Amino acid sequence: MNRTKNIRLTLCVVLLGISFGFAQKKSTGDVLFFQYEYQKAVAAYEKQISEGSLTEQQYLNLADAYFETDNFDKASEAYLEIYKKDTLMDSHHYNKMLQSLSKSADKEQKQAYLTTMSTSFPKELMENMEFNNQLLANESAENELDYQIFNLEGNSAQTDFSPSFYNNKLLFTSARSANKKLQFEPGGEGFFNIYESEIQANGQVSTVKEFGILSATDYHKATPSYSEALNSVFYVLSNTTDDDELAFDDNGKNALSIAKQSVNGSYQGLLKDLSTSFYYPFYDDSNGKLYFAADFEDGYGGTDIYFVYTNNGQMMSAPINLGPRINSSGNEIAPFIFENSLYFASDVFYGLGGMDIYKANVEGEGFGIPINLGEQINTEFDDFGLIIRNEGDGLLGYFASNRPGGKGKDDIYGFKVDEKPGLRTITFKGKVLKPYNPSEVVEKAAVRLWNMDGEMIAETYSDEDGNYRIEVPAADELVLEGTKERFSRYIERFDQEQLDSIQQNGLNVEMAQYDDLVEEREGQKVVKTDDFYFTTSSVQLTPEITTQLDEVVAFVKAFPEVQLRIETYTDSRGGSSTNFKLTQGRSDAIKKYLVEQGVPSSSILYSIGYGEEKILNNCTNGVYCLEMLHKQNQRSLIVVLNDNVLFD
């Protein structure tokens, strides 16, 4: 579809804005480009090329104009030429370049260039891409929901989009207004206005009329969002002066602001900046957050989604970006939260078409991986602005699309479905830490998920704070593994009940570091324990001794391939033969306990009593020593025999 005939609030270039005049003299192509006359801008820029040359910025404008007029072959050529010079291109233009490559004859180039550009993108974007590519490649009819999608009878021949529930009515934006005081040449339509209609039992609408409670203006009113808790409507409108004339910034740009209007009549302006446009407000009644899209310069791409904290709709914070898990190098718009899931639209390069609708689970202050809702809801065209609510035994929802077969440039579609749109997923998240010191985390540990067929289905690494996160399609059973060189291996199998619990509580992965648990003593590596002592002439294990031996049990469980030798010594007091028998009995008692606690007997190669054979000090036979010096010779060691080859 020719984008010059498709003007609406879905693009980050402020298509609803109007520019009159420029800060400095520009070429004809520039003027047409900044007035969104993309087809005419292409002709002007191409003429300028034939007469001389374009600046790099103008050549980038030409690439954008090709892109906006669906000439993806020429757009990809132009973007690639600029990319080779490594100037001007930002992440948003990378997104357009990749979109152009995927829609042109050179699709194979997309992966090649994506590989070289991947370091320029946040890791979350690459994880999102890989996850969605797998989902879309493996999508099957048996996993699809049975959507009943229908075009609304209330659509017009103009642009209709941005539905919102208003009790049992539907609010939406339309260009059907009879007030054609000023038309946009690219779209040939008047200013947008907000309308209301009655929702019928079958989801259709009737009795479309102008939504009359909003403050009057001759200019844009669009993208309404009703808050039942505040009994108010949030919406965007053109920036105007006190006498209701369009207000422009120093560069001649008219942007969009966000306002709140009480159904009872009170009006309040919330977000306004003459140089920044705000789109698609959504107020979350559950927590008082006001979500919206905006084109701030410090975003991740084009238009990003933000929120502000409010007190009953009164702003209480600066805008907070939802971060790289949600926002991409493309444009993100139209946030909507339903039952702990965030729905929004994005034109990120790995989607099905232009704008696609995604769903991300809300996880505390963060979000899960955004999941493409797949074919039916999404097409190769623009699909955006989804809303949904419970209705009877199922759900009723609406969204906008410019797919073929509609009545106008954008139409609103309704749908009924039995379950929430979007694939159900399982998320493992938490920290990798040391079990004996939970405050000490393990970074760069590999965390992998395996299915019950022994296939690895996901892999990630813990970050510098020990955090890890993996999200996969839902399954009945999964195995989680954690590994790192010279660390114990974590492996655990989870059934459905345990998986459900993990979604609520998260899961910390405990991995012991080998070097924390061993030490050098008497020229050999031994399991690190506190010194423990048998009662005089006794081979019985005391609670103090078993407490230390439990450390050995935990060590063997953490490193099951170790091979051990138990060594026990006594001091020089008593007969030599008696001491040998005593220490052998003590070594055998230690072995017996370890085996009873689960240490394989095959892991204990030797159990030896050395008697008074290896005295560590001068307290030999006949030498008077203090008790503390004799105790230095009364010791038991658990030697690791294969320390030097354990990690080869």
Side-chain angles (χ1 to χ4, degrees):
M1 179 176 289
N2 191 320
R3 290 175 184 255
T4 62
K5 297 180 181 178
N6 192 22
I7 303 301
R8 61 192 173 295
L9 279 171
T10 60
L11 301 179
C12 75
V13 291
V14 196
L15 293 185
L16 288 184
I18 309 170
S19 293
F20 292 111
F22 297 92
Q24 58 185 11
K25 184 177 180 180
K26 299 179 183 295
S27 71
T28 301
D30 294 334
V31 174
L32 293 167
F33 179 82
F34 287 108
Q35 289 183 342
Y36 318 122
E37 294 272 15
Y38 295 117
Q39 194 64 60
K40 294 178 181 179
V42 166
Y45 280 138
E46 288 180 341
K47 181 180 178 182
Q48 190 173 338
I49 291 176
S50 66
E51 294 174 349
S53 63
L54 297 179
T55 66
E56 289 185 359
Q57 181 60 58
Q58 288 172 328
Y59 197 56
L60 183 58
N61 293 347
L62 176 57
D64 287 342
Y66 283 140
F67 182 87
E68 299 298 340
T69 54
D70 293 349
N71 192 338
F72 298 114
D73 287 328
K74 286 191 174 182
S76 59
E77 292 176 6
Y79 285 130
L80 288 173
E81 186 63 30
I82 299 168
Y83 175 73
K84 292 174 183 176
K85 297 179 181 179
D86 196 28
T87 57
L88 297 181
M89 295 278 284
D90 55 20
S91 62
H92 186 49
H93 285 100
Y94 289 159
N95 188 75
K96 289 184 177 181
M97 184 177 88
L98 292 169
Q99 282 184 298
S100 300
L101 287 171
S102 65
K103 296 177 180 180
S104 70
D106 297 320
K107 292 182 180 180
E108 294 77 10
Q109 284 187 290
K110 176 183 174 181
Q111 186 59 44
Y113 280 96
L114 179 58
T115 300
T116 63
M117 290 185 292
S118 60
T119 56
S120 302
F121 293 136
K123 68 179 181 64
E124 291 89 347
L125 174 62
M126 305 310 294
E127 291 171 353
N128 293 354
M129 178 193 71
E130 292 173 5
F131 190 80
N132 278 274
N133 285 345
Q134 292 175 5
L135 290 184
L136 294 175
N138 297 327
E139 190 174 23
S140 62
E142 63 184 32
N143 293 325
E144 291 183 359
L145 295 176
D146 183 18
Y147 291 98
Q148 301 174 42
I149 299 176
F150 49 91
N151 189 291
L152 289 195
E153 295 172 356
N155 285 317
S156 69
Q158 285 74 43
T159 299
D160 300 295
F161 65 103
S162 189
S164 175
F165 293 114
Y166 174 53
N167 298 322
N168 198 44
K169 295 181 179 181
L170 190 72
L171 303 181
F172 64 93
T173 305
S174 179
R176 69 184 70 193
S177 173
N179 181 1
K180 301 281 185 176
K181 179 179 178 181
L182 181 62
Q183 287 191 347
F184 303 100
E185 288 300 323
E189 296 184 323
F191 285 97
F192 290 114
N193 202 353
I194 296 174
Y195 292 81
E196 63 176 295
S197 56
E198 297 283 344
I199 299 176
Q200 305 302 303
N202 62 359
Q204 281 289 355
V205 297
S206 62
T207 319
V208 175
K209 62 180 182 180
E210 184 177 344
F211 188 50
I213 74 164
L214 302 181
S215 299
T217 178
D218 289 331
Y219 305 106
H220 289 306
K221 290 183 290 186
T223 65
S225 174
Y226 174 67
S227 163
E228 182 177 1
L230 302 180
N231 195 25
S232 299
V233 175
F234 296 81
Y235 65 104
V236 302
L237 68 164
S238 300
N239 283 333
T240 57
T241 63
D242 291 338
D243 54 358
D244 198 34
E245 294 296 327
L246 289 172
F248 300 93
D249 68 5
D250 293 340
N251 292 318
K253 176 181 176 180
N254 173 254
L256 297 165
S257 60
I258 290 179
K260 176 175 74 74
Q261 175 110 24
S262 168
V263 173
N264 298 325
S266 63
Y267 169 89
Q268 182 181 10
L270 297 179
L271 289 163
K272 181 176 181 179
D273 184 326
L274 291 182
S275 298
T276 302
S277 276
F278 302 93
Y279 311 107
Y280 289 95
F282 171 77
Y283 183 79
D284 189 347
D285 285 346
S286 68
N287 56 28
K289 291 181 180 178
L290 175 63
Y291 294 84
F292 58 90
D295 57 352
F296 292 121
E297 292 184 357
D298 61 352
Y300 289 92
T303 303
D304 282 4
I305 298 176
Y306 296 78
F307 76 89
V308 292
Y309 291 103
T310 76
N311 182 6
N312 292 324
Q314 178 69 40
M315 287 178 49
M316 301 296 290
S317 75
I320 300 170
N321 193 296
L322 262 58
R325 182 60 69 193
I326 298 298
N327 293 313
S328 73
S329 54
N331 301 289
E332 281 69 46
I333 60 168
F336 179 81
I337 293 178
F338 174 69
E339 292 186 348
N340 213 41
S341 293
L342 169 69
Y343 294 87
F344 66 98
S346 174
D347 66 355
V348 65
F349 59 84
Y350 53 76
L352 292 177
M355 301 296 295
D356 280 1
I357 299 170
Y358 292 80
K359 184 197 84 169
N361 295 327
V362 179
E363 300 177 350
E365 293 298 315
F367 298 91
I369 291 177
I371 300 165
N372 192 300
L373 295 192
E375 297 178 356
Q376 296 186 71
I377 293 293
N378 291 320
T379 65
E380 62 180 295
F381 301 91
D382 291 319
D383 308 286
F384 58 102
L386 182 142
I387 61 172
I388 192 170
R389 75 181 184 188
N390 293 305
E391 191 88 1
D393 295 331
L395 300 112
L396 171 68
Y398 299 90
F399 63 95
S401 177
N402 66 345
R403 64 188 65 188
K407 297 179 181 180
K409 299 175 180 180
D410 287 311
D411 275 14
I412 297 173
Y413 291 81
F415 67 89
K416 290 191 173 184
V417 69
D418 292 335
E419 302 176 31
K420 282 176 61 176
L423 184 71
R424 192 170 68 89
T425 63
I426 296 291
T427 302
F428 285 80
K429 65 176 182 178
K431 287 183 177 292
V432 183
L433 44 82
K434 297 179 178 180
Y436 42 82
N437 187 4
S439 64
E440 191 171 351
V441 300
V442 182
E443 61 177 312
K444 298 180 181 178
V447 183
R448 304 179 181 92
L449 268 178
W450 302 80
N451 63 22
M452 303 317 295
D453 294 326
E455 301 169 329
M456 187 177 73
I457 56 177
E459 179 182 37
T460 190
Y461 289 84
S462 57
D463 64 19
E464 61 185 7
D465 296 317
N467 297 308
Y468 81 95
R469 185 186 182 284
I470 296 181
E471 187 171 2
V472 296
D476 293 332
E477 290 183 284
L478 291 169
V479 174
L480 186 72
E481 177 192 38
T483 62
K484 184 178 180 178
E485 182 71 17
R486 302 189 74 82
F487 278 78
S488 62
R489 179 192 184 205
Y490 175 95
I491 187 161
E492 192 75 32
R493 178 176 175 174
F494 298 93
D495 60 23
Q496 186 62 65
E497 183 178 348
Q498 292 168 316
L499 292 173
D500 291 341
S501 174
I502 288 171
Q503 304 315 292
Q504 299 297 321
N505 305 313
L507 178 72
N508 288 335
V509 172
E510 295 184 340
M511 295 170 55
Q513 186 169 9
Y514 177 80
D515 297 313
D516 289 343
L517 304 181
V518 298
E519 63 183 344
E520 190 86 15
R521 290 186 65 175
E522 301 180 33
Q524 52 193 351
K525 276 286 169 53
V526 302
V527 181
K528 188 184 295 185
T529 64
D530 292 339
D531 292 333
F532 58 86
Y533 304 97
F534 286 83
T535 304
T536 303
S537 302
S538 174
V539 297
Q540 298 300 313
L541 302 182
T542 65
E544 290 76 13
I545 295 175
T546 56
T547 296
Q548 298 306 311
L549 295 182
D550 288 341
E551 298 291 325
V552 180
V553 174
F555 173 76
V556 177
K557 289 182 178 179
F559 301 96
E561 296 180 356
V562 295
Q563 297 174 351
L564 305 178
R565 179 175 63 227
I566 301 171
E567 300 180 356
T568 302
Y569 302 88
T570 187
D571 58 39
S572 62
R573 294 173 295 185
S576 177
S577 176
T578 300
N579 285 338
F580 270 117
K581 290 179 182 180
L582 181 63
T583 53
Q584 185 63 55
R586 290 174 174 176
S587 287
D588 291 342
I590 291 173
K591 178 179 179 179
K592 182 175 182 293
Y593 179 82
L594 295 178
V595 172
E596 288 174 348
Q597 301 308 308
V599 175
S601 59
S602 59
S603 296
I604 305 175
L605 300 189
Y606 306 98
S607 172
I608 303 175
Y610 286 93
E612 56 184 87
E613 184 176 309
K614 295 184 179 179
I615 299 299
L616 299 178
N617 50 35
N618 294 325
C619 296
T620 56
N621 287 332
V623 176
Y624 172 78
C625 286
L626 297 175
E627 183 63 28
M628 60 174 292
L629 295 177
H630 280 301
K631 270 190 173 293
Q632 291 179 0
N633 298 311
Q634 300 171 19
R635 62 200 188 278
S636 295
L637 305 177
I638 312 299
V639 181
V640 182
L641 297 174
N642 58 339
D643 169 80
N644 60 333
V645 296
L646 193 57
F647 298 103
D648 289 348

